[in-house]
Amino acid sequence: MPPSVFSLSQTPVTCHSFDANRQQLAVSFNSNDAQILTRKGNEWTATETLAEHDKTITSIDWAPNSNRIVTSSQDRNAYVWQQTPDPETGALIWKPTLVLLRINRAATHVRWSPKEDKFAVASGARAIAVCSFDPENNWWVSKHLKKPIRSTVLAVDWHPNNVLLAAGSADMKARVFSAYIKEVDEKPAPSVWGSRLPFNVLCGEYSSPAGGWVHAVSFSPSGDVLAFASHDSSISIVYPGGPVIHNIKMSSLPFVTLTWTAEDSVVAAGHDCQPTVFSGSDAGWQAVGTLDDSKSSSSARSGFGSSPVGRLNSTAFNTFRDADTRGQASAGASGGDTKVLTIHQNTITSVRPYEGQPGQVTKVSTTGVDGNLVIWDVNEVASLAAQFGGIHLK
Amino acid sequence: MDNAFRKIDIDAFDEDVLQESELYEPDPRDPAQVLDESKQRQVAVRGALAKGDIRGALAISLENAPFGPNVEEAKTLTLQTILSILNSTKSTEVSAVVKALTQDEQDTLMKYLYKGMAMPGWGDISGSVLLGWHEKLTEVAGTGCIVRTMTDRRTV
């Protein structure tokens, strides 16, 4: 099945999160508000606006079972939104509850824990706020993971055991912490990451050889393996026993988001505008292809196949190149085609599982700076070399 | 509008500021040892060049490149060595040589190309050579190689 493309907006989509039935979608269009979109046939229509933040929203997560939404923003706040009946009309509306994050810099990323009784907020304050509900006072309280974080935390991801938390940071490290909260959690069973796990224990600290900000982290479905994407155009897969780290360097631009689709498969996406599939085991990992089979989606793409620089092969690029090499202004030589050769027309900022169970994800969804939402079948992998990633062909 | 405040070094007021040295693993080797190795490599490279073995000469010079503080002399020496290889390669051979390099060697070579272009005055001598190599290396190793040159704090 070819990927489904929905144009949500002319503005960038900061982040997206679906509800449990995939009939509603929470997104932020690079603004202070989050929108709830409802699917009607092949259209997504805005049905409600979550307006409470007073700076740009950075991340949204929709808890599938408890049906709560958490949003984080540059205004240093997070809100938990819950559907409650309006006292006057009786209609269900989303009501915000402020979370006491106690951070003095922007909140950058937020994720519910698997049991949905905690969430973690990454921030520019060199800290992660782990939040849990305090029923006595009827509010969300936070505990900070601080040491040894040295810079802004860019991404967090929960281990399936509801206790361990992975974090990627601008100090070029991916870390695994214990986010054990006595009041909420049962004692976790020992795992490959350790056996004694009080709050803020550092279970591992990893980096890519060439460094770079760690934009995305993710535990494998079993929780025994960690994947992270860093700004050196590589992804790393960490097996904590050794630790053994498999680092796959790409010839394209860096990835900023990734997700596991199975215990042996990862989808990563970012500045290269196309989701790339990696697969492997503890013996080794490699890039196996892209979900963006551009040949099927547009015949106009043939003929551009030999560009060594991928998306740079645009009209503007060709105009300047022709002016440089041939001394001519090439009006109309390339037909005024300003489209990038991929389905997403700009950086993909978020990739998330869409269909299937953890470990057997069959579809993933992506949103990006081009304002598009695309739903991909993860089994339709096209070879990278056959694409305009013709870098290796030349 | 007064924007002098933008020039204030706010890190100076931060007791817990992130240091450059915390961003990468330091070179375990002693600076004197690094310089010695660079000199030995220069000799080995001359030998390889005399035999016309460009690929071999590059492999020698790109191995264990000096990085970090206190090894400026070794860094300059290695850059000179590499420039001498680049300058003595026929432009028709560049593509084949670049393709034969390992991925790590390609990344390190890209670092030296940018360093060469960044040195004041050096660009006048070998500017077109550096640009020629840069073009061929980008064709083979892609934009990812350039991105790694920018992100890697182990500057050569």
Side-chain angles (χ1 to χ4, degrees):
Chain A
M1 214 177 81
S4 323
V5 184
F6 305 93
S7 180
L8 299 182
S9 157
Q10 295 301 311
T11 49
V13 180
T14 316
C15 49
H16 76 283
S17 186
F18 283 97
D19 73 337
N21 312 324
R22 306 296 187 244
Q23 291 305 307
Q24 289 195 303
L25 172 67
V27 287
S28 176
F29 297 123
N30 203 25
S31 72
N32 301 355
D33 299 336
Q35 308 279 335
I36 306 287
L37 309 182
T38 305
R39 185 166 186 161
K40 296 201 174 98
N42 248 348
E43 294 283 313
W44 291 94
T45 41
T47 46
E48 205 169 331
T49 301
L50 311 186
E52 197 70 33
H53 287 289
D54 53 22
K55 282 204 167 56
T56 307
I57 288 180
T58 50
S59 185
I60 302 175
D61 201 24
W62 196 324
N65 300 318
S66 56
N67 199 36
R68 286 181 300 207
I69 299 173
V70 60
T71 54
S72 68
S73 154
Q74 291 173 6
D75 66 6
R76 300 169 291 148
N77 286 325
Y79 289 96
V80 174
W81 304 78
Q82 226 167 340
Q83 263 187 325
T84 35
D86 190 330
E88 283 167 25
T89 63
L92 283 177
I93 50 163
W94 290 96
K95 274 263 190 272
T97 316
L98 178 67
V99 183
L100 302 172
L101 287 181
R102 299 182 291 116
I103 52 175
N104 58 5
R105 294 286 187 278
T108 52
H109 199 239
V110 62
R111 283 294 176 263
W112 285 102
S113 72
K115 286 187 186 158
E116 302 176 9
D117 52 359
K118 300 190 286 185
F119 58 88
V121 184
S123 86
R126 298 175 186 171
I128 303 162
V130 179
C131 306
S132 57
F133 194 70
D134 175 8
E136 255 173 57
N137 293 305
N138 195 30
W139 63 28
W140 291 88
V141 291
S142 70
K143 259 182 110 173
H144 287 181
L145 289 167
K146 272 194 167 141
K147 280 187 176 159
I149 302 167
R150 300 293 292 131
S151 187
T152 299
V153 183
L154 299 164
V156 289
D157 188 53
W158 286 93
H159 189 278
N161 74 2
N162 209 53
V163 167
L164 293 170
L165 184 74
S169 165
D171 59 12
M172 325 234 172
K173 297 276 198 310
R175 300 185 175 89
V176 175
F177 292 101
S178 164
Y180 176 78
I181 306 275
K182 204 167 55 201
E183 293 77 18
V184 180
D185 287 310
E186 292 161 26
K187 274 228 152 59
S191 72
V192 287
W193 302 99
S195 45
R196 242 183 61 81
L197 299 167
F199 188 77
N200 210 155
V201 159
L202 180 68
C203 306
E205 191 176 68
Y206 314 97
S207 64
S208 167
W213 289 14
V214 178
H215 291 293
V217 285
S218 187
F219 280 109
S220 72
S222 71
D224 291 348
V225 192
L226 178 75
F228 66 89
S230 44
H231 201 79
D232 59 348
S233 283
S234 80
I235 74 160
S236 303
I237 313 282
V238 180
Y239 290 84
V244 178
I245 303 177
H246 298 293
N247 182 253
I248 307 127
K249 291 181 186 178
M250 300 299 290
S251 55
S252 52
L253 293 173
F255 298 117
V256 296
T257 175
L258 59 79
T259 188
W260 291 76
T261 52
E263 195 61 31
D264 58 356
S265 178
V266 169
V267 175
H271 296 293
D272 201 38
C273 310
Q274 52 179 337
T276 305
V277 181
F278 296 85
S279 97
S281 64
D282 52 357
W285 278 75
Q286 69 270 346
V288 289
T290 168
L291 295 179
D292 194 335
D293 183 7
S294 66
K295 278 172 302 191
S296 65
S297 42
S298 165
S299 56
R301 281 170 185 162
S302 57
F304 288 107
S306 60
S307 167
V309 276
R311 59 181 286 211
L312 288 183
N313 193 4
S314 62
T315 310
F317 180 83
N318 289 332
T319 306
F320 284 112
R321 193 190 52 196
D322 290 348
D324 175 41
T325 55
R326 294 178 219 157
Q328 65 184 34
S330 65
S334 44
D337 187 4
T338 50
K339 276 186 76 124
V340 183
L341 306 175
T342 47
I343 290 177
H344 269 292
Q345 293 293 299
N346 207 326
T347 300
I348 298 171
T349 48
S350 170
V351 55
R352 308 194 71 166
Y354 178 78
E355 199 177 282
Q357 298 303 309
Q360 293 157 343
V361 174
T362 50
K363 286 183 180 175
V364 293
S365 58
T366 56
T367 52
V369 180
D370 59 352
N372 284 344
L373 163 75
V374 183
I375 294 162
W376 313 81
D377 189 331
V378 298
N379 297 314
E380 306 243 324
V381 182
S383 148
L384 269 180
Q387 299 289 312
F388 41 86
I391 293 153
H392 301 290
L393 290 177
K394 199 151 180 176
Chain B
M1 208 177 90
D2 180 29
N3 52 15
F5 69 93
R6 293 196 185 279
K7 303 256 161 109
I8 298 173
D9 177 13
I10 54 164
D11 285 344
F13 301 95
D14 189 350
E15 289 168 11
D16 193 30
V17 67
L18 180 63
Q19 302 293 334
E20 178 75 23
S21 56
E22 294 175 66
L23 294 175
Y24 58 89
E25 293 288 316
D27 195 338
R29 297 170 291 177
D30 183 65
Q33 186 197 345
V34 173
L35 184 58
D36 263 4
E37 283 178 22
S38 303
K39 285 179 178 159
Q40 285 164 16
R41 277 204 295 268
Q42 193 178 29
V43 176
V45 163
R46 276 195 203 122
L49 279 184
K51 283 184 258 162
D53 180 8
I54 304 282
R55 167 74 183 85
L58 270 181
I60 297 165
S61 58
L62 294 172
E63 203 194 349
N64 292 326
F67 66 90
N70 309 323
V71 288
E72 288 310 318
E73 204 181 337
K75 285 183 179 180
T76 316
L77 193 66
T78 312
L79 178 62
Q80 282 169 344
T81 312
I82 289 172
L83 282 182
S84 70
I85 304 171
L86 303 188
N87 280 322
S88 53
T89 309
K90 287 196 204 83
S91 57
T92 47
E93 288 171 15
V94 171
S95 238
V97 171
V98 165
K99 268 184 204 158
L101 295 176
T102 66
Q103 204 171 27
D104 285 336
E105 287 169 343
Q106 287 170 347
D107 288 354
T108 314
L109 177 60
M110 188 62 94
K111 286 188 196 174
Y112 279 104
L113 294 182
Y114 275 97
K115 185 183 173 77
M117 289 190 264
M119 300 284 275
W122 289 49
D124 304 342
I125 309 161
S126 40
S128 66
V129 175
L130 289 172
L131 284 172
W133 275 83
H134 183 269
E135 186 190 355
K136 294 284 183 276
L137 185 54
T138 309
E139 271 170 21
V140 174
T143 41
C145 183
I146 300 174
V147 172
R148 280 187 284 280
T149 300
M150 292 193 283
T151 53
D152 201 339
R153 297 304 177 106
R154 297 169 298 178
T155 48
V156 295

